[in-house]
Amino acid sequence: MREHAFTVTLAEPWGEGIVSFAQGAELDVDVRLESVHEGILASGTVDAEYSGVCGRCLTDIARPVEVEFQELFAYPGEEETDFEVQDDHVDLETLVRDAAVLSLPFQPVCQPDCLGLDPVTGERLTESTGSEQAAPIDPRWSALQKITDQDGTAESRAAEKEES
């Protein structure tokens, strides 16, 4: 068994969504390599920081992530496997990249209760401006709004219905 700890600087970005591991980001990898009958078992963790934008309010975010991985690198033989020992070495890049990219959140948020952007003003709803915003009216129901706004007659009709 051998244990190794090293830092890798990414030559290219990893990930394609609204968050990713940027080019030049550093990944701290701790790996334990164990010899087993079928091959070499590689297990360990990756500590890194992803960056991107919030999926609701489009604010820049950067969050740490810790990913665990474990994979068997089989000795070359008749059976075909995803990972194989080649020239007494194991190539961890694909394993670490797959584990790290799959750990990225699909819909990242800057905070768990992020409300997003106001559809009218475009301001962040989590930053209150102090002004009350009226609920938007669906354009399909705007004709009904005209009926209820005729000189307050809708209020008097409602009062008449309650009396009868």
Side-chain angles (χ1 to χ4, degrees):
M1 177 184 75
R2 292 188 182 174
E3 292 183 346
H4 297 280
F6 51 92
T7 301
V8 177
T9 303
L10 298 181
E12 59 185 29
W14 285 0
E16 295 292 327
I18 57 178
V19 293
S20 63
F21 297 102
Q23 180 177 355
E26 292 186 346
L27 280 70
D28 296 321
V29 180
D30 292 323
V31 63
R32 181 165 66 184
L33 303 168
E34 299 175 74
S35 178
V36 295
H37 181 66
E38 297 86 13
I40 296 176
L41 180 66
S43 55
T45 60
V46 177
D47 293 316
E49 183 173 86
Y50 66 82
S51 59
V53 295
C54 174
R56 294 182 187 161
C57 66
L58 305 178
T59 304
D60 291 337
I61 58 173
R63 298 278 190 273
V65 63
E66 181 178 340
V67 182
E68 294 181 2
F69 61 88
Q70 185 172 30
E71 189 65 45
L72 176 66
F73 287 80
Y75 292 124
E78 296 177 12
E79 294 182 29
E80 190 171 323
T81 61
D82 291 336
F83 298 100
E84 287 188 351
V85 176
Q86 296 179 357
D87 299 328
D88 294 331
H89 291 84
V90 294
D91 184 9
L92 295 174
E93 181 181 1
T94 304
L95 174 62
V96 170
R97 182 181 55 233
D98 290 349
V101 170
L102 289 174
S103 73
L104 293 173
F106 185 67
Q107 289 291 334
V109 291
C110 58
Q111 57 192 23
D113 58 345
C114 179
L115 299 174
L117 299 175
D118 186 336
V120 176
T121 63
E123 295 178 355
R124 289 185 60 209
L125 291 175
T126 54
E127 296 174 356
S128 176
T129 58
S131 61
E132 286 292 322
Q133 297 289 329
I137 298 173
D138 191 327
R140 297 172 291 182
W141 296 98
S142 62
L144 293 176
Q145 182 67 28
K146 293 176 187 175
I147 294 172
T148 59
D149 288 342
Q150 293 177 356
D151 300 322
T153 55
E155 294 173 6
S156 61
R157 287 188 207 142
E160 289 175 10
K161 287 184 181 180
E162 288 178 7
E163 291 175 5
S164 59

